[in-house]
Amino acid sequence: MRRAPPSDEFLLEQYVTLRRQIPLMYALMFINVLFLGFESFRDVPLGMSFGIPTLVSIAIIVRAALWVRRRSISAAPRDVQRYLRGTVISAAVLSIVFGVWGSLLFSEADAMRSVSISFYVFVGAISCCFCLQALPLAGYVVLLFGVMPVTIRLMISSEWSLFSVGANFLIVALLILRTLSTSHAGFKEVLQSRSDMLAEQERARAAELKAQELAYRDPLTGLDNRRALSERLDASLARPARGTQLYLFMLDLDLFKGVNDAYGHGAGDRLLQAVANRLTAIVGTLGVPYRLGGDEFAVTMELSKKAQRAAVAMADRLVREMAAPFVIDHFSHHISASIGISRYPADAATREALMQHADIAMYNAKSLGRSRHSAFEPRMGEELAARAVLEREMRAEIRTDAFHPFYQPIVDLASGRIVGFEMLARWTRADGSTVDPGRFIPVIEQCGLIGDLMLKLLEQVCIDAARWPAGLTIAINVSPIQFRDPWLSEKILAVFTRHGFPPPRISLEITENALISDPAAAQRIVESLKNQGVSLSLDDFGTGYSSIQHLRMLPFDKLKIDRSFVVNVDTDESAHRMVSAMIRLAESLQLSVIAEGVETDSVRATLHDLGCREAQGYLFGAPLAACDADELLGRDQTVTAPFVTEEAATDISSLLLGRTG
């Protein structure tokens, strides 16, 4: 119920108090009038002993009945004001009649009876004053018109005894006036204290409700939070509905950090709010969405055991609609969501297991390429455990010689000479087994150790390449995650300085993903390295977004065509046109072109005819250890001249592959 303003509250409290007191006051007045009429019945005319008391009694009964009826009425403040004005007027009229009547009776009686009449009038008026403490103005009127006429008659009497009684009446009246004023002030103070106490209680309740809301609701998006999800799962698992399964969807946003870094946390927050709104609209009444923190969300759904298709359909829709653009502050942001799904009781028996399995499935979806959903399978737990073992070993061995560089030759297609190498990371465990880079590179990136690994390998590159001809360049891949380090360029240049290695011999290969995640950081770091002579290649060209824009964004020297376009360039007409267009584009921008993934002489010849300058692939050699690269360069830097024959290329490739095991 909404609290009334303080003035209205005061009126209502007066009304409540008077509803209890006024009927009692009228009852006392009625008794007093009857006794006074009986007392003077034989000494005064009938009109004064019967007529006036009868009229006053009728008025008293009417007013008393009216106030008794009001006990069951909840009046509005405006009506209460009207009732109080009527009470003051009634008090004035009745007091005047009562006071004049008492004064007339006083004139008709002897001295002893006059004192008795005076006491009746005084006691009746005083009783009314005490009943009207909540409305002091009415009490003042009663004292003025009810008591003063008789009091004045007593004080002007020639008899000392009557004068003393009148003087006492006057003193008592003054005391009662003060009592009325003090009582009314106390009434106001008590009411104000109670009002303050109620207001404080309401503030405390509001704060408690707010704290409870914050405890279960995410303040940014308005969605339920992780605590609410935990309690919802506990409640559902404690009282499972017969014939249903509880589905838990774990959603992690892909590419959100790039938006946060590029456009600021304000834009990131607004994007999260937009994601929450879209998620709520998609789920509707079929489930409950949650924000667990950061860019992680969840959805719970209770479906019948036969409604697995409905769950898959919901997951498909979530993936599809989360990949649609989000327009924030006139910018169109492209993100996506990777979703993991687990079920109770099919996949887990406890809340912790259900959430863990959904997380495992979500990470599996990310590892498969993101922007997809994956349902939990027991093998995923085994893979996660194997990944944990791999990560533990990797952390222990990253600062040892277990990680080392291999070098794959880059060949000039016109002359057949080796013009450089691409450095590739390799990991040899303590037991002599090797780990495929496709397994450990993603793990080391997720752990945030890719920067340490790259700098460690760069140290060894400077040592190895110092023995090779000065004209050979070494291509080194830079992970998009490394551009989050604002000191990356300084760290790389510090390695060159320690070894006295010339920066122009290094070519950094950057993928388009690095430019998408944080263009400003990439530009700042690359320009710092370019100023020292480091060359720059755009790696995996054609596989990302807005490639032409990225070529204009940074001062690239080379363009590297992804192997997916190269492997069938000699047989696929669309691939042939695509590679030809890339080479023409590079020529117009005065960039040299490297093709990767060359494995047959037919592909090599086609690339040469299209104008591609350099290439790498198993046709020219597999990645080599530094000692094998030394031997290859010491024997002859020419792989074949002017072209590699298919027989020679096969022999060389077999030889190199045999050396590397």
Side-chain angles (χ1 to χ4, degrees):
M1 180 179 176
R2 185 176 177 272
R3 292 180 62 242
S7 57
D8 292 346
E9 187 176 4
F10 181 69
L11 284 173
L12 294 175
E13 189 62 31
Q14 281 184 296
Y15 176 61
V16 170
T17 303
L18 291 172
R19 282 192 312 185
R20 294 193 301 265
Q21 298 296 332
I22 287 181
L24 176 62
M25 176 192 75
Y26 282 129
L28 292 173
M29 283 187 65
F30 181 73
I31 294 171
N32 209 286
V33 168
L34 288 180
F35 279 137
L36 192 56
F38 287 140
E39 177 67 22
S40 60
F41 183 74
R42 288 189 294 264
D43 300 329
V44 297
L46 187 62
M48 292 178 62
S49 63
F50 181 77
I52 293 177
T54 301
L55 293 175
V56 172
S57 296
I58 292 173
I60 288 172
I61 292 171
V62 170
R63 292 293 298 174
L66 187 63
W67 276 96
V68 169
R69 179 174 172 273
R70 287 173 181 170
R71 286 188 172 185
S72 60
I73 297 175
S74 297
R78 181 177 298 179
D79 294 330
V80 171
Q81 288 180 329
R82 182 164 52 83
Y83 296 160
L84 297 186
R85 283 196 300 269
T87 300
V88 173
I89 293 171
S90 299
V93 172
L94 290 174
S95 297
I96 290 172
V97 173
F98 194 68
V100 171
W101 180 45
S103 180
L104 292 175
L105 293 177
F106 183 89
S107 301
E108 298 292 332
D110 56 28
M112 181 60 68
R113 196 173 294 274
S114 296
V115 172
S116 177
I117 291 170
S118 300
F119 272 111
Y120 274 119
V121 172
F122 187 77
V123 170
I126 296 303
S127 300
C128 291
C129 286
F130 276 106
C131 291
L132 293 170
Q133 289 183 80
L135 189 61
L137 180 59
Y140 300 155
V141 168
V142 169
L143 281 177
L144 178 63
F145 297 117
V147 174
M148 284 301 106
V150 175
T151 302
I152 293 172
R153 293 295 301 272
L154 288 170
M155 293 189 69
I156 63 176
S157 175
S158 58
E159 296 186 23
W160 171 254
S161 59
L162 296 180
F163 175 80
S164 63
V165 172
N168 279 316
F169 281 3
L170 181 61
I171 293 171
V172 173
L174 292 174
L175 290 174
I176 291 173
L177 283 173
R178 179 171 178 78
T179 301
L180 283 176
S181 177
T182 304
S183 174
H184 188 62
F187 178 77
K188 281 185 173 181
E189 185 175 347
V190 169
L191 186 60
Q192 183 63 45
S193 298
R194 190 177 70 179
S195 177
D196 292 343
M197 182 178 66
L198 291 174
E200 188 62 34
Q201 289 176 347
E202 285 194 7
R203 283 195 292 270
R205 281 195 295 269
E208 183 179 355
L209 290 174
K210 185 66 174 177
Q212 186 174 5
E213 181 180 357
L214 291 175
Y216 290 93
R217 192 167 294 277
D218 175 57
L220 177 63
T221 62
L223 297 179
D224 289 347
N225 60 14
R226 185 181 292 273
R227 180 175 180 180
L229 172 63
S230 298
E231 294 197 6
R232 171 68 183 272
L233 294 178
D234 286 340
S236 298
L237 270 59
R239 295 182 299 275
R242 182 177 299 177
T244 65
Q245 283 197 114
L246 176 65
Y247 284 81
L248 174 61
F249 296 73
M250 285 289 192
L251 294 83
D252 190 79
L253 301 183
D254 307 319
L255 305 178
F256 172 76
K257 189 178 187 304
V259 175
N260 219 21
D261 293 341
Y263 297 94
H265 291 284
D269 288 345
R270 288 187 288 278
L271 178 57
L272 289 174
Q273 291 169 340
V275 168
N277 293 336
R278 186 175 295 183
L279 187 63
T280 301
I282 295 170
V283 174
T285 59
L286 297 176
V288 182
Y290 306 83
R291 183 190 177 212
L292 307 185
D295 58 354
E296 191 175 2
F297 293 80
V299 173
T300 56
M301 294 175 59
E302 287 191 22
L303 300 171
S304 67
K305 292 184 178 180
K306 298 180 180 179
Q308 186 172 357
R309 290 184 179 179
V312 173
M314 174 61 73
D316 286 335
R317 186 182 175 193
L318 287 169
V319 170
R320 183 175 63 253
E321 298 200 22
M322 284 299 166
F326 288 86
V327 179
I328 308 293
D329 299 334
H330 308 293
F331 290 97
S332 183
H333 300 294
H334 295 267
I335 61 172
S336 59
S338 297
I339 303 175
I341 307 171
S342 63
R343 301 166 298 166
Y344 172 83
D347 297 329
T350 65
R351 183 245 301 170
E352 292 81 3
L354 188 67
M355 296 180 70
Q356 182 186 24
H357 290 172
D359 268 330
I360 292 172
M362 183 263 290
Y363 283 116
N364 182 69
K366 279 188 174 294
S367 67
L368 294 175
R370 301 181 177 181
S371 191
R372 63 182 64 211
H373 62 83
S374 177
F376 174 77
E377 297 177 10
R379 64 168 180 81
M380 294 179 183
E382 298 170 3
E383 292 173 357
L384 191 66
R387 182 192 179 281
V389 172
L390 189 71
E391 179 181 340
R392 188 164 57 249
E393 292 182 4
M394 180 192 68
R395 289 182 179 276
E397 297 186 2
I398 193 169
R399 304 203 180 276
T400 69
D401 293 334
F403 289 90
H404 42 270
F406 267 46
Y407 303 94
Q408 185 172 34
I410 300 174
V411 175
D412 182 272
L413 289 177
S415 65
R417 295 181 63 84
I418 297 175
V419 295
F421 292 95
E422 179 180 5
M423 187 276 289
L424 301 169
R426 292 294 183 266
W427 178 14
T428 304
R429 283 171 160 166
D431 60 3
S433 63
T434 59
V435 182
D436 183 81
R439 287 187 62 200
F440 75 80
I441 291 296
V443 175
I444 209 167
E445 284 184 331
Q446 292 171 7
C447 295
L449 297 174
I450 188 67
D452 294 339
L453 176 61
M454 183 264 199
L455 294 174
K456 170 184 171 59
L457 297 178
L458 183 59
E459 297 267 3
Q460 189 61 45
V461 166
C462 292
I463 296 172
D464 295 339
R467 304 189 297 266
W468 302 340
L472 294 182
T473 59
I474 313 299
I476 298 177
N477 291 285
V478 180
S479 168
I481 296 175
Q482 291 180 258
F483 285 100
R484 299 175 187 173
D485 182 1
W487 300 99
L488 177 62
S489 59
E490 287 78 4
K491 292 177 180 178
I492 292 174
L493 294 174
V495 174
F496 296 156
T497 302
R498 280 197 298 273
H499 294 277
F501 193 83
R505 293 190 61 188
I506 296 295
S507 175
L508 294 183
E509 294 188 348
I510 301 173
T511 64
E512 291 170 297
N513 288 336
L515 305 181
I516 292 173
S517 60
D518 194 344
Q523 189 167 10
R524 184 177 61 254
I525 292 169
V526 166
E527 286 179 351
S528 175
L529 294 170
K530 285 284 291 184
N531 290 336
Q532 300 300 317
V534 177
S535 62
L536 185 65
S537 299
L538 182 59
D539 197 10
D540 298 337
F541 183 74
T543 61
Y545 300 98
S546 306
S547 298
I548 297 177
Q549 177 185 351
H550 296 150
L551 286 173
R552 297 175 56 191
M553 184 184 301
L554 294 175
F556 288 102
D557 301 289
K558 296 181 181 181
L559 184 153
K560 196 167 190 178
I561 302 176
D562 187 71
R563 72 184 313 275
S564 61
F565 298 100
V566 173
V567 291
N568 57 354
V569 69
D570 56 334
T571 58
D572 188 310
E573 184 62 28
S574 62
H576 187 278
R577 289 196 300 268
M578 184 69 72
V579 172
S580 177
M582 293 179 185
I583 294 173
R584 300 288 84 77
L585 174 63
E587 288 176 349
S588 67
L589 297 174
Q590 298 181 340
L591 302 177
S592 61
V593 178
I594 305 176
E596 62 180 359
V598 179
E599 298 181 359
T600 67
D601 187 65
S602 177
V603 170
R604 177 208 57 76
T606 302
L607 290 171
H608 180 266
D609 292 341
L610 289 174
C612 181
R613 296 183 183 180
E614 300 174 356
Q616 68 184 87
Y618 281 100
L619 178 65
F620 310 114
L624 304 168
C627 58
D628 294 325
D630 290 342
E631 184 178 344
L632 176 64
L633 292 173
R635 185 178 69 243
D636 188 359
Q637 291 186 40
T638 304
V639 175
T640 182
F643 301 109
V644 181
T645 65
E646 192 165 358
E647 293 79 12
T650 303
D651 292 342
I652 293 173
S653 181
S654 299
L655 175 63
L656 296 177
L657 286 170
R659 287 178 180 171
T660 58

